[in-house]
Amino acid sequence: MKISVSPFYTPDPNSVVHSGWFFSRNGSGEALPEEMDSWDYQTVLSLQAQVTIDRPLILAQCRLGEGSQFRVVVKAKSDSTKADILLLDAAAPADANVPVPLHLDVPGTELGGRLTLTTFILVDASVPLDPLAPHQRGSILWKHSAHVYLQGIGAQFPTDAEDFRRTRPDTPDALWQLDADLSDPEASFASAVRLSMNTSQPAIKRLLQGLHSPENKELQHLLDIDVTRQMAVLAVQSDAVLDREPDHEDPSVAAVLRCLLLQLWPQISDPHILRKLWDSEPSKFEAHVQSTRGKLS
């Protein structure tokens, strides 16, 4: 477990209240889910939230004078594209407990996989009343992180479109093929895992065109279930994956697969139990993946 220790006074976490993120869809706001399986790279994700800052409490607990000023900053980070985007940087109100509205547009072209939205309250100007008060501009007083998987767990890595009749003549009628190399557990997940889509299949061509149709939605769901199942099986067969502590900031293939197991089986802290389940009851193992990925509409 990583523990951050600040070199200066920081306020109580409850000194700032974050409403949680909402996104616009079909003209209404919905709470940001853990996963957005309908997202694609052409989407602009419109987000709304608000933060309420207890300014007197922060000043008192951080030993800061009334002339101190704060800023609200929001950043987006994608684990698959490595994009780190500044979405908002605004002065916080000088009044106490005034809600600050946050309205953001996140460009889908730069994002994929696990998206992390982090809201910070930073020092903009400091009037320190104590040697341990935050002195530097940009000192982080408070932060809130939210995570959402874009396009499903099974789409966090590069995807190729190719005609299997030419490139994979042994399986010309397959819809897709997942290739994964776990020989180096520390290799980047994005370089070790690749999904190839068979363009000789008309259904795959329609899916790659990005059309929003019931057929495409169902095929995308089946793709997600199948790829997630394959990755889960790869994960439980690897000692490097099972022996690793979960770390969402680690881009290695072993770390990403370990986090996948944690998301599929959040109640199981020892992933070695899952290998026993796969060895003894593989059908039950795979059925759990199907159940976790949700139902077809």
Side-chain angles (χ1 to χ4, degrees), residues 270-290:
D270 181 3
H272 292 85
I273 296 173
L274 300 176
R275 175 179 286 177
K276 295 179 181 178
L277 175 62
W278 167 250
D279 289 339
S280 61
E281 298 182 89
S283 60
K284 186 175 180 179
F285 179 98
E286 296 194 6
H288 176 85
V289 175
Q290 293 181 37

Side-chain angles (χ1 to χ4, degrees), residues 125-143:
S126 175
V127 180
L129 303 178
D130 186 287
L132 290 180
H135 287 64
Q136 298 296 321
R137 186 174 186 268
S139 297
I140 299 174
L141 301 177
W142 179 94
K143 69 178 179 178

Side-chain angles (χ1 to χ4, degrees), residues 50-226:
Q50 70 176 27
V51 292
T52 304
I53 304 169
D54 190 334
R55 176 180 169 85
L57 180 59
I58 294 178
L59 292 177
Q61 293 186 338
C62 294
R63 313 295 198 272
L64 290 169
E66 282 293 339
S68 300
Q69 299 174 13
F70 308 135
R71 298 193 72 79
V72 181
V73 171
V74 181
K75 299 183 72 174
K77 186 176 182 179
S78 168
D79 69 342
S80 63
T81 66
K82 306 306 177 188
D84 194 348
I85 307 169
L86 177 64
L87 299 175
L88 177 73
D89 185 355
D95 297 325
N97 297 311
V98 175
V100 180
L102 309 177
H103 298 283
L104 310 172
D105 287 330
V106 187
T109 52
E110 299 188 58
L111 305 174
R114 186 174 186 260
L115 172 65
T116 300
L117 295 165
T118 306
T119 307
F120 301 91
I121 304 299
L122 307 179
V123 172
D124 194 23
S126 175
V127 180
L129 303 178
D130 186 287
L132 290 180
H135 287 64
Q136 298 296 321
R137 186 174 186 268
S139 297
I140 299 174
L141 301 177
W142 179 94
K143 69 178 179 178
H144 169 277
S145 293
H147 309 284
V148 57
Y149 284 90
L150 301 175
Q151 223 178 359
I153 291 179
Q156 300 177 59
F157 39 83
T159 301
D160 289 332
E162 56 188 69
D163 187 337
F164 281 22
R165 292 171 300 185
R166 294 198 300 268
T167 61
R168 303 172 191 260
D170 292 339
T171 54
D173 297 322
L175 295 172
W176 52 74
Q177 182 171 327
L178 179 72
D179 296 302
D181 181 4
L182 271 67
S183 60
D184 180 5
E186 303 304 322
S188 166
F189 181 82
S191 64
V193 181
R194 185 170 295 272
L195 180 67
S196 298
M197 307 289 288
N198 186 5
T199 57
S200 69
Q201 291 282 8
I204 295 299
K205 281 187 176 180
R206 291 192 293 271
L207 180 64
L208 293 174
Q209 289 171 354
L211 302 177
H212 295 287
S213 67
E215 294 78 14
N216 274 0
K217 183 177 180 180
E218 183 170 324
L219 185 58
Q220 177 68 49
H221 199 114
L222 292 173
L223 169 64
D224 179 63
I225 291 174
D226 180 56

